[in-house]
Amino acid sequence: MRDRSTNRSPDVVVIGAGMVGAACAYHCTSAGLRVTVVERGAIGGATTAACEGNILLSDKEPGAELELALLSSRLWARTAQALGAERLEYQEKGGVMVAASPATADGLRKLTAVQRAAGIDAVDVSRDEVTELEPNITPEVAAGAYYPQDCQVQPVLATARLLRHAREHGATVLPGTAVTGFVRDSRGAVTGVRTDSATAPLIPAGRVVNAAGTWGGELAGLAGVPLPVLPRKGFILVTEPLPRVVRHKVYTAEYVANVASGAAGLQTSVVVEGTRAGTVLIGAGRERVGFDRSVSLPVLRRLAAQAIGVFPFLAEVALLRSYLGFRPYCPDHLPVIGADPRAPGLLHACGHEGAGIGLSAATGHLIAQVITGATPDLDLTPFRPERFEETTV
């Protein structure tokens, strides 16, 4: 497909119109690049539609992901200012992590100490201070930590707003268009994509970005460059609308351990938060079972019981529904970001697991920097696509 205003091929084809793909399109068009976005389904209709919109620092430990999260947090604040926080439902609500026992509280204090040294604003709070932050919380809390930098957006709305901005800057967005193959030149470099569209069966481009989320591994395989991106299933419960009974994003200290775990079996650690509409969202489970979409009542019951343990009033609240999604999991818990030396012209922006919303801003920004030849704001070595093959040699 040719750029409508210049009748030239796009500089960049972004595969995937979830939050990460939208962020790539936003930052690439902001850098002056011509962009075409192809999405096999609906805009923001897959993993993005099945998450809570978290922009978290609290669940990160020192390392490459935290550096990415800190950059992304700053970029999200800048994006909210540029596009309007209300239009993204961007909320600087803050997070409260709670410890149920003295032993867990001691571990939490050790975590906040290393987080503060790494640049996170992590505030140790007593049991009484936790109650001041969250008056409806269980009195059984031993202590906690307050994270004022934790934020949230409405994920599908934010995705649509980013893509609207990209279109206003010349981007073309093609929903319902699946990539079926890659175009290569005589040197083997990727120079475009083939699709199942009758009107745009071939889209040449200077660069192609794999932002296909949970399906990023399958797409990379189509290009002949394997990536171990796997689905990690999770559920979220939604309550009836309520007054403002949960003020922050509230989760137990076990949540950090579950995020970092590579276990395939079911893990649950409660996260509770209110929404602007008044509903309360309850998560989060993690389980590697492929793309199995079956609903597990025992998992839902476990999440509900854990939420009641933190907020006892929820025992009398009706649940409206539940939904599930698949997080794009990588074995080392780091996303894949940057150019793939195994397929020149192809870049990856996938594998963010449950942190894709929060990390998307930095991911899109870094991808744009790589494509334009600017020096990336972060060292991309920890995120390089070929790292998995290196570990098997």
Side-chain angles (χ1 to χ4, degrees), residues 226-247:
L227 286 179
V229 180
L230 302 171
R232 205 176 186 192
K233 181 178 176 181
F235 289 93
I236 295 175
L237 310 181
V238 185
T239 74
E240 62 182 309
L242 301 167
R244 190 167 177 255
V245 288
V246 181
R247 299 180 178 181

Side-chain angles (χ1 to χ4, degrees), residues 115-329:
Q115 287 177 325
R116 282 191 293 273
I120 298 178
D121 187 2
V123 182
D124 294 322
V125 291
S126 67
R127 178 173 58 187
D128 291 343
E129 289 169 324
V130 171
T131 303
E132 289 178 12
L133 289 165
E134 289 291 341
N136 295 304
I137 206 162
T138 175
E140 302 303 318
V141 169
Y146 173 53
Y147 295 89
Q149 293 165 295
D150 280 0
C151 300
Q152 185 176 22
V153 292
Q154 206 296 327
V156 177
L157 176 60
T159 296
R161 294 297 186 188
L162 292 177
L163 287 174
R164 176 179 292 184
H165 182 275
R167 286 197 301 267
E168 290 170 350
H169 287 74
T172 299
V173 181
L174 303 174
T177 303
V179 169
T180 59
F182 290 83
V183 181
R184 307 231 186 198
D185 65 14
S186 59
R187 298 175 293 109
V190 172
T191 58
V193 297
R194 302 184 188 280
T195 79
D196 63 357
S197 169
T199 57
L202 173 63
I203 308 176
R207 299 286 190 279
V208 176
V209 179
N210 170 16
T214 309
W215 294 269
E218 293 182 14
L219 193 70
L222 192 62
V225 288
L227 286 179
V229 180
L230 302 171
R232 205 176 186 192
K233 181 178 176 181
F235 289 93
I236 295 175
L237 310 181
V238 185
T239 74
E240 62 182 309
L242 301 167
R244 190 167 177 255
V245 288
V246 181
R247 299 180 178 181
H248 305 82
K249 186 180 298 290
V250 181
Y251 30 89
T252 57
E254 290 77 12
Y255 179 76
V256 177
N258 282 2
V259 168
S261 172
L266 174 67
Q267 297 173 311
T268 59
S269 52
V270 71
V271 182
V272 183
E273 64 184 301
T275 68
R276 189 161 295 184
T279 55
V280 173
L281 304 182
I282 300 167
R286 295 172 185 270
E287 187 177 17
R288 294 215 315 272
V289 290
F291 287 102
D292 175 12
R293 297 194 63 87
S294 61
V295 175
S296 171
L297 288 178
V299 174
L300 301 186
R301 291 192 185 102
R302 186 190 298 188
L303 288 173
Q306 290 178 338
I308 292 169
V310 177
F311 287 103
F313 76 88
L314 288 172
E316 307 301 322
V317 172
L319 288 175
L320 291 183
R321 64 188 181 98
S322 67
Y323 58 92
L324 65 89
F326 299 100
R327 305 175 182 93
Y329 163 88

Side-chain angles (χ1 to χ4, degrees), residues 2-87:
R2 302 285 180 177
D3 181 89
R4 294 173 179 171
S5 60
T6 63
N7 199 34
R8 290 188 293 167
S9 300
D11 299 309
V12 186
V13 167
V14 177
I15 305 172
M19 182 65 89
V20 173
C24 289
Y26 174 83
H27 286 282
C28 283
T29 53
S30 297
L33 297 168
R34 300 184 306 277
V35 176
T36 293
V37 180
V38 291
E39 164 59 53
R40 68 178 185 178
I43 301 302
T47 299
T48 296
C51 63
E52 297 159 289
N54 294 333
I55 304 171
L56 300 185
L57 295 176
S58 54
D59 63 344
K60 309 294 189 297
E61 298 184 66
E65 187 183 19
L66 175 55
E67 294 302 314
L68 186 66
L70 287 165
L71 173 62
S72 209
S73 178
R74 295 192 296 270
L75 289 167
W76 263 118
R78 187 186 306 172
T79 301
Q81 184 175 22
L83 300 184
E86 290 294 322
R87 299 180 73 195

